C-alpha cells in the first residue's frame, strides 16, 4: 500500500528542484545573457511533467503482504471480481482503490450464558479459528465489509451454543463433552459457511455451572461417600459376626471332642497336665525370683501317673 510519507518526500524533492531552476535562471539573468520566457516556462513544464509522472507512478502501485489478499474497488465498475495475491500490483490512481484482507486464521473467544435441558444455567466459552473464503472476498466486501468476523461470529456462536446445550442435562455436558463439542463444531461450520467464513477449529475452553448446582453436586457426592462408608461398616460387622459364629462353633466342637476323649480315656487329661507343667517350669526358669513350692501345687510332679489314681 502507498504511504502518505512517500508523497511528502516527493513534494519536498520537487520543491528543491524547482528552487534550483529558479536560482539558476536568476544567476544567468545577472551575469549572462537574459533567458527567454519561453525557455523558462519549458523548464518549469518539464519539471511539472516529471513530477506528475512520478506522482502518478508512485500511486499506481500497491503491495499485498504475506498472508493477505486484495480486491480493487473502481469508481466506474464497482468491486472487481479479481483476487490479487501477494506481491506488487498496478492500478489507476483515484479511479481504483485497493482493499486488502488478512486471510490468516484468527482466534476469537465467545462466552455465552445458557440453560440446559434440566433448567440449569451454565457459562460456556467457545474458541474458534476463522478466516475468510478467499474466492468469495468480493462478496464478503459487498455484504459484510472488512469487519466481517465482528458482524457474524458473536451472533452465530451464541445461537449455536444455546441450541446445542439445551439438548443435554447438566451432568451430560460433563460426561458427554466430546459429543457436545462435535455438535457445536458441525453446526458452527454449517452456519459460518453461509457467510463465506471458514472455521479451522472449534473447541470448548471453559465451562462452569451456577453456585447452587455446584453445591448440590458436592452434597450428592458427600452423601454417596457416606452411604458407601456405611455399607462398608455393615459388611465388616457382618463378617466379624460370621467369624465369631464360626469360632464359637469350632470351640463347641472342640469341647465336644475333648469331652468324648475324656470319657473314653484319661490320656488326654494327662497329656494336658504334662504340657501345663512344662509351661510352668519354663516360666519359673526365666523368672529371676526364687520360688519354693510344692510340686503338687504347681502341677510339676511328673513322676506320678494320675491315670493310676482312683
Amino acid at each position: 500500500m502507498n504511504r502518505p510519507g512517500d508523497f511528502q518526500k516527493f513534494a519536498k524533492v520537487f520543491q528543491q528542484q524547482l528552487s534550483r531552476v529558479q536560482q539558476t535562471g536568476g544567476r544567468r539573468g545577472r551575469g549572462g545573457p537574459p533567458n527567454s520566457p519561453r525557455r523558462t516556462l519549458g523548464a518549469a513544464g518539464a519539471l511539472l511533467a516529471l513530477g506528475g509522472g512520478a506522482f502518478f507512478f508512485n500511486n499506481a502501485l500497491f503491495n499485498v503482504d504475506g498472508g493477505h489478499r486484495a480486491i480493487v474497488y473502481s469508481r466506474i465498475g464497482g468491486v472487481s471480481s479479481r483476487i490479487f495475491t501477494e506481491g506488487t500490483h498496478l492500478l489507476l490512481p483515484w479511479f481504483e482503490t485497493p482493499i486488502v484482507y488478512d486471510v490468516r486464521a484468527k482466534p476469537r473467544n465467545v462466552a455465552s450464558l445458557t440453560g440446559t435441558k434440566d433448567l440449569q444455567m451454565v457459562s460456556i466459552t467457545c474458541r474458534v479459528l476463522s478466516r475468510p473464503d478467499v474466492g468469495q472476498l468480493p462478496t464478503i466486501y459487498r455484504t459484510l465489509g472488512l469487519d466481517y468476523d465482528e458482524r457474524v461470529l458473536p451472533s452465530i456462536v451464541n445461537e449455536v451454543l444455546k441450541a446445542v446445550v439445551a439438548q443435554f442435562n447438566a451432568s451430560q455436558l460433563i460426561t458427554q463433552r466430546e459429543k457436545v463439542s462435535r455438535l457445536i463444531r458441525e453446526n458452527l461450520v454449517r452456519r459460518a459457511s453461509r457467510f463465506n467464513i471458514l472455521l479451522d477449529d472449534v473447541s470448548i475452553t471453559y465451562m462452569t455451572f451456577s453456585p447452587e448446582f455446584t453445591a448440590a453436586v458436592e452434597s450428592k457426592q458427600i452423601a454417596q461417600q457416606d452411604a458407601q462408608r456405611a455399607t462398608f461398616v455393615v459388611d465388616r460387622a457382618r463378617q466379624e459376626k460370621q467369624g465369631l459364629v464360626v469360632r464359637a462353633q469350632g470351640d463347641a466342637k472342640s469341647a465336644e471332642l475333648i469331652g468324648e476323649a475324656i470319657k473314653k480315656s484319661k490320656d488326654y487329661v494327662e497329656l494336658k497336665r504334662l504340657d501345663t507343667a512344662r509351661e510352668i517350669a519354663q516360666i519359673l526358669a526365666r523368672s529371676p525370683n526364687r520360688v519354693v513350692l510344692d510340686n503338687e501345687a504347681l502341677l510339676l510332679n511328673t513322676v506320678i501317673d494320675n491315670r493310676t489314681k482312683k
Side-chain angles (χ1 to χ4, degrees), residues 112 154-164 191:
S112 176
S155 59
I156 65 173
V157 171
N158 272 286
E159 182 179 355
V160 170
L161 286 177
K162 293 180 183 297
V164 174
R191 290 293 305 277

Side-chain angles (χ1 to χ4, degrees), residues 273-295:
R273 189 181 72 81
L274 292 175
D275 290 340
T276 304
R278 184 173 65 252
E279 292 177 0
I280 293 174
Q282 291 176 355
I283 293 173
L284 293 176
R286 291 194 299 268
S287 176
N289 300 325
R290 296 294 179 264
V291 181
V292 181
L293 295 173
D294 184 40
N295 288 339

Side-chain angles (χ1 to χ4, degrees), residues 234-246:
V234 171
D235 292 340
R236 186 176 63 181
R238 186 180 295 111
Q239 293 175 359
E240 291 177 353
K241 180 180 179 181
Q242 292 177 354
L244 293 175
V245 170
V246 172

Side-chain angles (χ1 to χ4, degrees), residues 42-70:
L47 285 177
L48 287 175
L50 179 63
F55 177 77
F56 180 85
F57 184 75
N58 182 60
N59 285 272
L61 296 177
F62 71 96
N63 295 326
V64 179
D65 297 331
H68 295 70
R69 296 294 184 273

Side-chain angles (χ1 to χ4, degrees), residues 28-307:
R28 288 179 178 176
R30 289 191 300 268
N35 294 326
S36 65
R38 183 178 299 177
R39 186 174 182 180
T40 304
L41 291 175
L47 285 177
L48 287 175
L50 179 63
F55 177 77
F56 180 85
F57 184 75
N58 182 60
N59 285 272
L61 296 177
F62 71 96
N63 295 326
V64 179
D65 297 331
H68 295 70
R69 296 294 184 273
I71 58 177
V72 171
Y73 170 76
S74 174
R75 296 178 182 270
I76 300 175
V79 179
S80 173
S81 60
R82 181 184 174 185
I83 308 297
F84 293 86
T85 58
E86 302 169 1
T88 302
H89 305 276
L90 292 171
L91 53 74
L92 293 176
W94 191 83
F95 288 99
E96 295 180 343
T97 303
I99 302 167
V100 180
Y101 275 89
D102 186 355
V103 297
R104 295 172 293 187
K106 294 184 292 185
R108 172 179 288 273
N109 292 326
V110 180
S112 176
L113 180 64
T114 181
T116 61
K117 188 176 180 180
D118 53 353
L119 303 181
Q120 296 293 335
M121 299 305 297
V122 56
S123 177
I124 297 182
T125 300
C126 183
R127 183 178 184 270
V128 295
L129 284 177
S130 64
R131 56 186 175 88
D133 188 354
V134 175
Q136 300 297 327
L137 286 180
T139 304
I140 294 176
Y141 182 74
R142 291 190 187 100
T143 57
L144 299 174
L146 290 173
D147 56 344
Y148 62 94
D149 52 346
E150 292 285 350
R151 296 172 179 264
V152 175
L153 290 181
S155 59
I156 65 173
V157 171
N158 272 286
E159 182 179 355
V160 170
L161 286 177
K162 293 180 183 297
V164 174
V165 171
Q167 303 176 17
F168 297 88
N169 295 329
S171 58
Q172 292 176 340
L173 292 178
I174 300 175
T175 58
Q176 302 181 20
R177 181 162 182 169
E178 182 178 357
K179 181 179 180 181
V180 175
S181 298
R182 178 172 54 81
L183 289 177
I184 292 175
R185 184 182 305 109
E186 292 176 353
N187 284 273
L188 274 179
V189 169
R190 184 171 62 254
R191 290 293 305 277
S193 63
R194 300 177 183 175
F195 300 95
N196 301 310
I197 298 176
L198 304 179
L199 300 182
D200 294 335
D201 182 67
V202 178
S203 59
I204 298 176
T205 58
Y206 181 75
M207 180 187 301
T208 182
F209 298 92
S210 62
E212 294 78 8
F213 179 77
T214 304
V217 172
E218 292 178 355
S219 301
K220 182 179 179 180
Q221 293 294 330
I222 293 173
Q224 290 179 351
Q225 293 175 1
D226 293 340
Q228 293 177 355
R229 189 181 298 108
T231 302
F232 172 75
V233 172
V234 171
D235 292 340
R236 186 176 63 181
R238 186 180 295 111
Q239 293 175 359
E240 291 177 353
K241 180 180 179 181
Q242 292 177 354
L244 293 175
V245 170
V246 172
R247 191 180 299 109
Q249 291 176 352
D251 294 342
K253 186 66 176 179
S254 177
E256 181 181 355
L257 294 176
I258 291 173
E260 292 178 357
I262 292 174
K263 289 179 181 179
K264 294 178 181 180
S265 175
K266 294 183 179 181
D267 294 341
Y268 180 78
V269 177
E270 184 65 19
L271 179 60
K272 283 294 184 180
R273 189 181 72 81
L274 292 175
D275 290 340
T276 304
R278 184 173 65 252
E279 292 177 0
I280 293 174
Q282 291 176 355
I283 293 173
L284 293 176
R286 291 194 299 268
S287 176
N289 300 325
R290 296 294 179 264
V291 181
V292 181
L293 295 173
D294 184 40
N295 288 339
E296 293 292 339
L298 295 176
L299 302 177
L300 294 177
N301 190 1
T302 59
V303 178
I304 299 176
D305 192 352
N306 291 331
R307 293 177 295 176

